[in-house]
Amino acid sequence: MDLDVREGTVLGVLGPNGAGKTTLVRCLSTLVIPDAGTAFVAGYDVVRQPRQLRRTIGLTGQYASVDEKLSGRENLYMIGRLLDLSRKDARTRADELLERFSLTDAAKKAAMHYSGGMRRRLDLAASMIGHPAVLYLDEPTTGLDPRTRNEVWDEVQRMVSEGVTVLLTTQYMEEAEQLASELTVIDKGKVIASGKVDELKARVGGRTLKVRPVSVSDLPGMARSLSEAGLDGVAGSQIASEEGVLLVPILSDEQLTAVVGLLAARGYAIADLGTYLPSLDEVFLSITGQKPSAPRLRSRPADRGGRGMSTVTTSKPGGGAAAPVAAATAVAVRTEDGRIGLRANLRHIGALVRRNTLQIKQDPESMFDVLFMPIVFTLLFVYVFGGAIAGKGNQGDYVNYLVPGLMAMMGMNIAMAVGTGVNDDFKKGVMDRFRSMPIARSSVLIAKIVVELGRMMIAIGILLIMGFILGMSIKTSVLDLLLAIGLSAVFGASLMWIFILLGLTLNSAQAVQGMAMVVLMPLQFGSSIFAKPATMPGWLQSFTDYNPLSNLADAARGLMIGGPVGHPATVTLIWSVAITAVTMPLAVRKFRQKT
């Protein structure tokens, strides 16, 4: 397909379901890498300069991609910080947009409590934080009531009046006619028509005169009179019986005058008449009924000769490619190729860590596993299974054996939350916004790991408290205890990359949890966490010896109550490095390519 969008206008992209509208938007917003062809947006090559491009665009997808657990103000503040606004400027810009989109009264309310229209307005506000040069609206009013739809239309028109270039995909003909300066109709991945609304209407059928006589019985005589008069082109006149009108195709203003004069001269009393162009719905149905190879109003050859070619540019009204535009308030220092500096990277990670932490504040139930899992497991195994495992009356010694092992298990169980969180963010569209922004894509994943490591430290802290209450004693130094906790954190962080990869690969958070259980259960109960390997069958002892959880548990015991440390700690670190080295690049690559 070939598109050429003038700066400061709205290009409406129409097409049936599956025509390729959303795929086009995802290619132009760098969410999907096109197979071939060339696309320039605001002067930047979509494939070769994605980092620079992301500084100039805003994206509103088919579903409001806002963080439901954050308030409206926190959503906008977070986006501002990711766009490198200072804390003060981010707060100021957030308040400006909340007022502009009539969301000030709900600014402190979590977005999960917003109506559909409020979420969509918040989504549009988030897209406008960085003053984008180009805004993509992918079916922005789907599912909204007429009043809210009109409010969204008003905001889009105001954005365009401020110089924003908009690419709008829509299923609503009224929306396209209301907002778009020009239209492009696509079908099966190809442009089949393009032009201004009136041009497309004229292409389908031109003007039609609708004549309503005072007496419906006059309709046959009126049609006969026009036919006998021999006026050029009116032989196609039709009687619309249900409406009680005569439909006359009109080729020119002169013909219109001649038809009206003839009917008046024949003495027909006319109650009403008027001309109209085909509705946009009629145009759409007519055009999409053609084959994709039908002639186009405007085209130009695409380059590179590959399949799925796409040549897309934005241009100034006077011609020529639009100059690169960046948010005037951006303060991050980036290199010419758009790479992000270390300070900006750390700032982005910090903003995302804050986001994930605020999610916990808004949803305290998400901490139940962290708060109660250490207590439940400790009590369960000490008092229910402890006698059978360690021998009756030896529960005190068993606590010293169990708690270091449970530290290893805490990290594995909490690591699962990273994968389900990533999967959930993709399902709700939040990740698409992050991936279309000028931030390092790995920063989103790193921030999740940092927060989950914090949750892991809380769980280990509660576990140790329970251990002390039940009689556990640390027989080494505080430094050794901290080393045991650190070793558990390192291994837990490596496991998080596995679950991130699962979260990016599987279709639902429930599937991630199910797969995690399949992996976790054999590792946990086929290890030395709960019982000494010597008490197990011979075939299970071999598995236990090579199980990384056994080595981690043994290393933690050596550091906390004495015993061998060097070999199990070394094996644990080797496992951690190997898991990270394999799964982290795969996860980051999958994250970049996720469609």
Side-chain angles (χ1 to χ4, degrees), residues 191-443:
V191 175
I192 59 175
S194 60
K196 297 184 182 300
V197 175
D198 288 345
E199 291 175 350
L200 293 180
K201 288 182 176 182
R203 173 180 171 179
V204 171
R207 286 190 298 171
T208 298
L209 173 65
K210 183 184 291 187
V211 184
R212 185 186 304 278
V214 173
S215 175
V216 176
S217 61
D218 287 341
L219 284 171
M222 294 167 62
R224 195 164 46 250
S225 296
L226 292 177
S227 177
E228 294 171 352
L231 293 175
D232 183 33
V234 301
S237 300
Q238 296 180 352
I239 296 174
S241 301
E242 294 181 0
E243 298 182 53
V245 298
L246 179 68
L247 304 177
V248 185
I250 298 297
L251 302 180
S252 65
D253 291 340
E254 291 76 13
Q255 188 186 66
L256 172 63
T257 302
V259 169
V260 174
L262 175 63
L263 294 176
R266 295 291 175 91
Y268 293 110
I270 298 175
D272 186 29
L273 59 82
T275 62
Y276 74 98
L277 289 170
S279 70
L280 201 52
D281 289 275
E282 294 172 317
V283 172
F284 179 77
L285 292 173
S286 174
I287 291 176
T288 54
Q290 301 174 16
K291 295 181 179 180
S293 58
R296 291 179 283 176
L297 296 181
R298 167 170 51 88
S299 66
R300 73 168 171 251
D303 63 351
R304 289 169 61 178
R307 69 187 190 283
M309 293 187 297
S310 173
T311 303
V312 187
T313 65
T314 57
S315 62
K316 294 181 178 179
V325 181
T329 48
V331 296
V333 178
R334 293 180 171 84
T335 59
E336 290 185 1
D337 65 356
R339 294 185 182 276
I340 301 167
L342 177 60
R343 290 180 60 188
N345 230 327
L346 293 175
R347 184 164 54 248
H348 299 159
I349 292 173
L352 291 166
V353 166
R354 183 175 184 272
R355 172 239 178 182
N356 294 328
T357 304
L358 285 173
Q359 284 184 327
I360 297 173
K361 179 181 177 182
Q362 292 288 346
D363 183 21
E365 291 86 354
S366 65
M367 288 293 289
F368 281 178
D369 60 336
V370 172
L371 298 175
F372 297 113
M373 184 171 62
I375 298 173
V376 170
F377 267 93
T378 306
L379 293 175
L380 181 68
F381 277 91
V382 169
Y383 289 112
V384 177
F385 303 120
I389 295 173
K392 192 173 182 179
N394 294 323
Q395 283 95 339
D397 292 336
Y398 184 60
V399 172
N400 284 334
Y401 180 88
L402 176 68
V403 170
L406 286 180
M407 285 174 51
M409 195 181 75
M410 292 297 106
M412 177 170 277
N413 287 333
I414 292 174
M416 179 174 59
V418 183
T420 56
V422 168
N423 186 282
D424 195 49
D425 281 345
F426 264 107
K427 288 293 183 184
K428 294 179 178 178
V430 179
M431 283 299 186
D432 278 352
R433 182 176 298 283
F434 291 151
R435 293 167 67 236
S436 68
M437 295 181 67
I439 63 176
R441 292 181 170 182
S442 59
S443 63

Side-chain angles (χ1 to χ4, degrees), residues 1-5 10-16 19-25 28 135-140 166-173 175-177 179-187 189-195 200 280 284 288 312:
M1 60 180 64
D2 300 336
L3 301 173
D4 192 358
V5 189
V10 179
L11 174 68
V13 179
L14 307 176
K21 301 185 297 297
T22 296
T23 301
L24 171 66
V25 170
L28 296 181
L135 179 63
Y136 303 117
L137 302 178
D138 190 11
E139 300 187 14
V166 176
L167 189 147
L168 166 75
T169 75
T170 181
Q171 295 280 10
Y172 299 120
M173 300 301 107
E175 182 167 85
E177 193 160 11
L179 298 178
S181 309
E182 295 188 14
L183 296 176
T184 291
V185 184
I186 67 175
D187 193 14
K190 295 183 181 295
V191 175
I192 59 175
S194 60
L200 293 180
L280 201 52
F284 179 77
T288 54
V312 187

Side-chain angles (χ1 to χ4, degrees), residues 141 148-158 172 174-176 178-179:
T141 60
T148 305
R149 187 177 301 157
N150 287 331
E151 292 175 351
V152 171
W153 289 354
D154 290 342
E155 286 303 328
V156 173
Q157 289 169 334
R158 188 185 335 186
Y172 299 120
E174 182 185 4
E175 182 167 85
Q178 180 82 13
L179 298 178

Side-chain angles (χ1 to χ4, degrees), residues 54-232:
R54 292 180 195 128
R55 293 159 53 192
T56 73
I57 63 173
L59 172 65
T60 293
Q62 291 186 6
Y63 306 100
S65 53
V66 296
D67 192 322
E68 294 183 344
K69 295 181 181 179
L70 266 57
S71 68
R73 178 175 284 115
E74 288 294 352
N75 265 284
L76 299 184
Y77 176 82
M78 173 186 67
I79 299 298
R81 291 295 288 159
L82 292 176
L83 290 173
D84 301 308
L85 301 184
S86 67
R87 290 184 177 86
K88 179 181 178 181
D89 288 344
R91 282 191 291 268
T92 300
R93 182 64 174 154
D95 289 338
E96 288 174 357
L97 290 169
L98 287 168
E99 182 175 359
R100 172 171 168 173
F101 285 87
S102 303
L103 292 170
T104 301
D105 291 342
K108 296 181 180 180
K109 187 185 299 184
M112 69 175 68
H113 302 303
Y114 283 18
S115 66
M118 292 170 68
R119 290 190 193 191
R120 178 53 78 187
R121 295 204 303 274
L122 180 61
D123 193 29
L124 282 170
S127 299
M128 295 300 296
I129 285 281
H131 304 282
V134 178
L135 179 63
Y136 303 117
L137 302 178
D138 190 11
E139 300 187 14
T141 60
T142 298
L144 299 185
D145 61 80
R147 178 181 176 182
T148 305
R149 187 177 301 157
N150 287 331
E151 292 175 351
V152 171
W153 289 354
D154 290 342
E155 286 303 328
V156 173
Q157 289 169 334
R158 188 185 335 186
M159 295 173 194
V160 174
S161 70
E162 296 172 354
V164 178
T165 303
V166 176
L167 189 147
L168 166 75
T169 75
T170 181
Q171 295 280 10
Y172 299 120
M173 300 301 107
E174 182 185 4
E175 182 167 85
E177 193 160 11
Q178 180 82 13
L179 298 178
S181 309
E182 295 188 14
L183 296 176
T184 291
V185 184
I186 67 175
D187 193 14
K188 299 178 182 178
K190 295 183 181 295
V191 175
I192 59 175
S194 60
K196 297 184 182 300
V197 175
D198 288 345
E199 291 175 350
L200 293 180
K201 288 182 176 182
R203 173 180 171 179
V204 171
R207 286 190 298 171
T208 298
L209 173 65
K210 183 184 291 187
V211 184
R212 185 186 304 278
V214 173
S215 175
V216 176
S217 61
D218 287 341
L219 284 171
M222 294 167 62
R224 195 164 46 250
S225 296
L226 292 177
S227 177
E228 294 171 352
L231 293 175
D232 183 33

